[in-house]
Amino acid sequence: MDLAPVAAQLLLKVRQERPLVHNITNWVVTNVTANAALALGASPVMAHAQEEVEELASVSRALVLNIGTLTPAVLEAMMLAGRAANAAGRPVVLDPVGYGATALRTQATKSILKEVKVDVLRGNPAEIAGIGGLSASIKGVDSGATAHPGAVIARRVAADYRLVAAVTGATDYISDGRRLARVENGHPWLTLVTGTGCMATLAVAVFAAVEPDYLKAAACALACYGIAAELAAGTSLGPGTFGASLLDRLYLLQPEEVAQRARVTLYSGGSEEA
Amino acid sequence: MDLAPVAAQLLLKVRQERPLVHNITNWVVTNVTANAALALGASPVMAHAQEEVEELASVSRALVLNIGTLTPAVLEAMMLAGRAANAAGRPVVLDPVGYGATALRTQATKSILKEVKVDVLRGNPAEIAGIGGLSASIKGVDSGATAHPGAVIARRVAADYRLVAAVTGATDYISDGRRLARVENGHPWLTLVTGTGCMATLAVAVFAAVEPDYLKAAACALACYGIAAELAAGTSLGPGTFGASLLDRLYLLQPEEVAQRARVTLYSGGSEEA
Amino acid sequence: MDLAPVAAQLLLKVRQERPLVHNITNWVVTNVTANAALALGASPVMAHAQEEVEELASVSRALVLNIGTLTPAVLEAMMLAGRAANAAGRPVVLDPVGYGATALRTQATKSILKEVKVDVLRGNPAEIAGIGGLSASIKGVDSGATAHPGAVIARRVAADYRLVAAVTGATDYISDGRRLARVENGHPWLTLVTGTGCMATLAVAVFAAVEPDYLKAAACALACYGIAAELAAGTSLGPGTFGASLLDRLYLLQPEEVAQRARVTLYSGGSEEA
């Protein structure tokens, strides 16, 4: 099933509803993810103090937890915010940056997955494979080789943890354990700019704020984000101008353009491949 | 009274004196506000450790307190820095980001206003209205509707708290409780980039560093900033290139250009409107 | 001895080996230094939690310690990471941002230099002069006047602390106490963008990760960085577009271009000048 029309509709819905999205994220990407949210048409709030995250998570329409520069104090804030979002019925999107790179990150991810109902898990192949107990190598916070293809990793982890797993790379694979979606939009220059994975996670949260089928939301968000990257790369000289242009293109992105350019396919439970 | 010539003079004075401005601000905007200070011609120092903020605030010519991603530890640093700036006779500019959105932000703002002599308060209509006990709605950290016009909000809060209140929006209103200034420079794209409000606050602090009439300083700073935004928007494709161009234009801004383009008017105590 | 060919070779080596570089740096520059590392061809990891820095420093090929927005908790993390990098035999590069501006920064720098074997110290003339007990003035975190020329400062501090000292400015001087290198690449616009000193430090760490002669590594890194700045300035309107273009140019920089444009000279122990 071609999800391109759905992606176009959801982008329009984001623009109309301008959902408030709460981010507890890392030091490196606060600015660019807030800007990506604004460019997509959402309203970001960045806050990590334990004293206020429950209030903000309760009134926001989605919550992003990103462990990129985690400390124990921020982890505790994530737990509070995550439970508040759960109680309010809002989607929680987890980005396990550098899972497997350090004990802190591995244990924090496990703790969050245990204490918070995570709705969508977005990461690179090595991170998601690691969470699923599948072998992978990791180099710092960048993905290394994995023994399994992205589709297998996504499906396995989604089924094991009962969530939507989004494994992003040259091709993105998203699964809820039963269904599988594949996105073939994007551009290699996304690997040259820090925070582009975190921005993908943010996009997923923005779409999940307006679409309760989180598999579709995640796949369509990644398609829209990938299209913006393709368009940005076409007019950029290198990663610096690409970063600025990516925000331009997220802002300028039109539903019609998405309907035409999105390469996003949903496979039902039985039909395989992808 | 047309303040355009004053705005031009103050920009020149900033470029000549290159004032050191100490910022205790939020995680999201540290980079862009430091860059805005450099572009305007000032010398920024960003520091939030309780162990050093008094020293820096004492030698700086202005202090910015921005509660955007506040924690109790940073709030305590703000108190120390604020009192040190007061003791040194330097202007303190407060940006109550998200006042009303959480109890932490509301209480922190009240504590700062109580324990520190704040010279200028810069915020959006909902934030400043909230501080004045005037009804307003807020969505995350973005302004919602207010029951009163900006001029009324600015005047009321300025009088109540004995400071200069700068309420920014499509039109900016600045009051010291008696006089009122109005600025009609700016561009809607400022709402598409995170930190543009914080950069406006920074600009106000930079001008307050060189001009002891803080009402004039704030109004002229907002006019210059608004002109830079107008010029930047004219050559940008979207919010990403606009953000970069805004810094360019702050840097390239010439006093003559300000004298011509500034739409900034001062009303004395009696004459109303604005 | 002309080091231009060495600079070209080292840039190629960085691109081939893509070294992992661990950064414990300040709030202001996390994003831009990570992007500079990616643009040069390295793999950055930004992390400051005491719970994980030893693990990351142990597996990284270089460690950057930058005290720009230091707190005692982050200082403790720096100590842990620094000792871990020492144990693993990896180069430690220290950027003493604002040394002399506050007691916290001065004492932290001294503590790091005492408890960690620092391999390269990169700073502006006032910071490095201050560390060497040479008179200098400082304004916030920007360099003021120094009583001694950069070459003398670099040589003295390098000899006293038994490390490579890199004093950057209009001309950069790098010394190991015996030898001296001089770099004449760069552009005045580097002073208009926050974090450009921190990016220079990052570049030094990236090159030190692939070249054990840290004097050569530092000098060649600064030459490459300076060339990228020259090229970026040629096509930028102001500091905003320059910041984006600088990342583009670091990415696009070719070894052949470096061989032609680098103005980097090594003086052996006896021959003076520079």
Side-chain angles (χ1 to χ4, degrees), chain B residues 19-214:
Chain B
L20 183 66
V21 177
H22 179 196
N23 293 268
I24 306 183
T25 190
N26 69 69
W27 284 14
V28 184
V29 306
T30 45
N31 190 267
V32 291
T33 54
N35 274 330
L38 288 167
L40 276 168
S43 179
V45 59
M46 325 302 283
H48 63 280
Q50 295 174 27
E51 290 78 6
E52 70 175 1
V53 291
E54 290 167 294
E55 275 170 276
L56 289 169
S58 300
V59 298
S60 297
R61 292 186 51 192
L63 171 66
V64 172
L65 304 179
N66 175 310
I67 69 166
T69 56
L70 196 65
T71 57
V74 173
L75 176 59
E76 183 53 33
M78 289 184 182
M79 297 298 191
L80 294 168
R83 288 190 286 250
N86 286 166
R90 304 306 191 187
V92 175
V93 182
L94 174 62
D95 189 332
V97 181
Y99 179 93
T102 68
L104 176 67
R105 294 179 191 224
T106 298
Q107 288 163 9
T109 301
K110 288 180 179 172
S111 297
I112 294 169
L113 285 167
K114 190 177 172 191
E115 297 192 32
V116 175
K117 181 188 174 301
V118 170
D119 298 289
V120 188
L121 182 66
R122 203 293 312 167
N124 63 40
E127 289 160 352
I128 308 299
I131 290 170
L134 302 167
S135 64
S137 71
I138 194 157
K139 177 186 177 184
V141 292
D142 295 323
S143 190
T146 54
H148 300 269
V152 172
I153 295 168
R155 205 185 281 273
R156 168 84 75 92
V157 172
D160 286 357
Y161 288 88
R162 295 171 179 269
L163 44 67
V164 169
V167 176
T168 57
T171 300
D172 305 329
Y173 296 98
I174 307 99
S175 178
D176 59 3
R178 186 176 57 82
R179 297 173 297 166
L180 181 74
R182 184 180 63 187
V183 180
E184 292 178 291
N185 295 106
H187 193 276
W189 278 9
L190 288 170
T191 63
L192 297 176
V193 179
T194 196
T196 51
C198 307
M199 288 162 81
T201 300
L202 174 280
V204 167
V206 166
F207 278 61
V210 302
E211 169 55 55
D213 183 338
Y214 300 143

